[in-house]
Amino acid sequence: MDSLLLIQSLSRIRDRLAPALGYAQYSRLWQANAGSQIAFWMQQVSQGWLVLELTESAFALGLLAFFRSIPMLLLSPIGGVLADRLDRRAIVITAQGLIGITMLVIAILVQIERVHIVHLVISSLVVGTSFAINMPARTSLVAGLVPRQHLSNAIALHSTTMNTARIFGPSIAGLIIGAFGIAVTYFTQVLGYVWSTVNMFRITSPPRAKRPRTSTLTDLREGFSYVARTKTMLALMMLALGPSLFGMPVTYLMPAFVRQSLGAGPEALGFLLGALGVGALTGSVVVVTYSNFRFKGRVLFGAILMHGLLLIGLSFTRSIETAAIAIAFVGFFQSVYMATNQATLLLLVPDDLRGRVMSLRMMTFGLSPLGLLPMSYIAEVRGVSIAMWLGGLFTFAVGVCVLLWARNLWNLQPEDEGLPDRP
């Protein structure tokens, strides 16, 4: 009887805080995301530390992130077209399997001590290509697995999964590197992708309305036109682009920041990235709990401005404890604006355009090399702290500029908005 009461109590808590998990198909996607996201964040630590062991160069960290981001820039629109044409579930499974195989190859090369920076460049290209094809389909799939009234909650839970992985992934990777070496972290990543793929196979693709067959060029033009002629869409894309250009490089440069500015090792790197994850998870929980808050535009602007200011503050820290506090708040506000931006887009975009619009949002991550390479160069010649300071300053500036240009976003309430007209 006590067990039954406990189960009923947990069910009531779930229905109140996370109603999207009450839908079996979405719950399986959520579990799949957990495996792949933990593996991804483990890779951030393991690859970053491996690069430094091979090259001792902060610029090399940025260069590998550059090679991973280029496919996201060039191929994300194609991924969006595929997501609107084909079975989104099958696309995710195929792309995820390719990443898993790539991580297995790197693990073996590290184990036999034959890994070279060229192998990491190739793996970065493969991962970037797979993400470009995978993410528009994965994100669009969320909207088909829950009803509209729970979509904000589902997106917030999706963000929670990613941010929980930020805690466990880096922490696990740092501990494994210290105890067993880098190769074991890569083998562990492979297990994460296996778990994720098994759960993806358990999902039944939702039914979709048939759409007329058109050329790829026509589909691409339709997606670009829809965003370009809808000011709200364009402003939301710019708010996603700013942090990608100037805020995301901070994460890529964290191994160099820990090693050069703080004089610490891989355990400290795992600790700091774990702190980033704790803050991000807290932000996600707040968004999940209040997923139906009305003025999402105000939250977006507040979060991106605070994100920029906190990056500036992080650049001045010289102790692990202070850096952990600063980066935890960075994670909090980063999580809030990313989840809110994504949920707002999905609420406003028609389903038959959803894959292409989300692929354009994915392109904002592909554009990150435009900011990442200069910041990596600045970190190389002037120091990581200067690069972080500039990243925070420009992130803040983007938020201010978009607010001045698209003031209507301040009062945006996407749950109450009609869908924008199609092009």
Side-chain angles (χ1 to χ4, degrees):
M1 181 65 68
D2 291 340
S3 299
L4 180 60
L5 290 174
L6 177 61
I7 292 173
Q8 290 175 342
S9 298
L10 292 175
S11 297
R12 284 194 293 269
I13 294 173
R14 182 204 64 190
D15 293 341
R16 181 179 178 181
L17 298 181
L21 288 179
Y23 299 89
Q25 298 297 315
Y26 174 78
S27 179
R28 292 164 186 163
L29 177 64
W30 187 74
Q31 295 175 60
N33 289 342
S36 61
Q37 288 293 339
I38 289 175
F40 174 80
W41 282 101
M42 287 185 68
Q43 184 194 359
Q44 298 300 295
V45 175
S46 56
Q47 179 171 283
W49 208 254
L50 181 58
V51 168
L52 288 177
E53 285 194 352
L54 293 174
T55 67
E56 289 290 342
S57 171
F59 183 72
L61 292 173
L63 189 63
L64 282 185
F66 171 83
F67 282 114
R68 183 169 58 194
S69 299
I70 284 299
M72 296 182 190
L73 172 60
L74 299 179
L75 299 180
S76 287
I78 302 300
V81 171
L82 294 177
D84 287 337
R85 284 185 176 183
L86 306 179
D87 185 338
R88 291 166 178 168
R89 167 182 165 273
I91 293 172
V92 174
I93 290 172
T94 302
Q96 208 166 251
L98 183 58
I99 297 175
I101 292 172
T102 302
M103 294 303 101
L104 179 61
V105 171
I106 296 298
I108 294 172
L109 289 172
V110 174
Q111 182 66 41
I112 64 176
E113 298 183 354
R114 294 295 181 87
V115 69
H116 188 273
I117 191 68
V118 174
H119 299 133
L120 300 182
V121 169
I122 294 172
S123 71
S124 294
L125 289 170
V126 171
V127 170
T129 300
S130 299
F131 263 73
I133 302 301
N134 169 20
M135 292 308 293
R138 184 188 293 271
T139 306
S140 300
L141 189 60
V142 173
L145 300 180
V146 295
R148 180 178 173 85
Q149 66 266 30
H150 296 313
L151 183 55
S152 291
N153 186 255
I155 293 298
L157 286 168
H158 180 77
S159 178
T160 302
T161 305
M162 179 180 69
N163 293 319
T164 303
R166 285 185 179 183
I167 299 173
F168 290 106
S171 301
I172 292 171
L175 291 173
I176 291 177
I177 291 173
F180 304 105
I182 295 175
V184 178
T185 65
Y186 277 99
F187 283 117
T188 308
Q189 291 165 41
V190 174
L191 294 178
Y193 286 113
V194 169
W195 163 267
S196 182
T197 301
V198 168
N199 278 283
M200 288 302 304
F201 272 112
R202 297 173 61 213
I203 296 173
T204 301
S205 296
R208 295 167 59 191
K210 290 186 176 180
R211 56 190 298 270
R213 182 172 294 276
T214 54
S215 69
T216 300
L217 184 60
T218 298
D219 286 346
L220 288 172
R221 185 166 54 244
E222 186 179 25
F224 277 102
S225 175
Y226 175 76
V227 171
R229 66 191 289 270
T230 310
K231 188 174 183 178
T232 298
M233 292 288 107
L234 195 56
L236 289 171
M237 290 295 178
M238 291 174 66
L239 286 177
L241 176 61
S244 296
L245 281 174
F246 310 116
M248 293 296 182
V250 171
T251 301
Y252 295 125
L253 294 174
M254 280 304 295
F257 178 72
V258 169
R259 191 160 182 161
Q260 298 173 10
S261 298
L262 302 181
E267 293 83 2
L269 175 61
F271 173 69
L272 288 183
L273 290 180
L276 178 71
V278 169
L281 177 59
T282 304
S284 295
V285 170
V286 170
V287 176
V288 167
T289 305
Y290 303 101
S291 57
N292 290 323
F293 60 90
R294 297 181 64 189
F295 293 102
K296 287 183 166 56
R298 299 179 186 181
V299 173
L300 271 174
F301 285 117
I304 195 172
L305 294 176
M306 286 302 301
H307 181 236
L309 291 174
L310 284 162
L311 288 179
I312 294 173
L314 179 63
S315 70
F316 290 102
T317 60
R318 289 298 178 267
S319 73
I320 294 175
E321 294 78 10
T322 306
I325 294 172
I327 203 168
F329 279 103
V330 168
F332 177 89
F333 287 105
Q334 185 182 71
S335 174
V336 169
Y337 85 71
M338 287 183 68
T340 305
N341 181 277
Q342 189 175 73
T344 302
L345 283 169
L346 286 174
L347 283 166
L348 293 175
V349 178
D351 183 66
D352 61 336
L353 281 168
R354 194 165 279 139
R356 281 165 285 176
V357 171
M358 297 314 296
S359 74
L360 294 179
R361 184 178 184 272
M362 188 71 188
M363 279 184 68
T364 65
F365 296 100
L367 287 169
S368 63
L370 296 179
L372 178 58
L373 279 183
M375 287 184 65
S376 298
Y377 178 75
I378 292 170
E380 185 84 8
V381 300
R382 297 295 302 273
V384 181
S385 296
I386 296 297
M388 283 188 172
W389 183 83
L390 289 173
L393 179 64
F394 287 129
T395 299
F396 183 85
V398 168
V400 172
C401 290
V402 175
L403 176 59
L404 294 175
W405 175 67
R407 296 181 183 179
N408 62 302
L409 216 60
W410 181 258
N411 294 315
L412 181 65
Q413 302 176 53
E415 283 89 353
D416 301 330
E417 297 277 342
L419 294 175
D421 293 335
R422 290 176 52 88

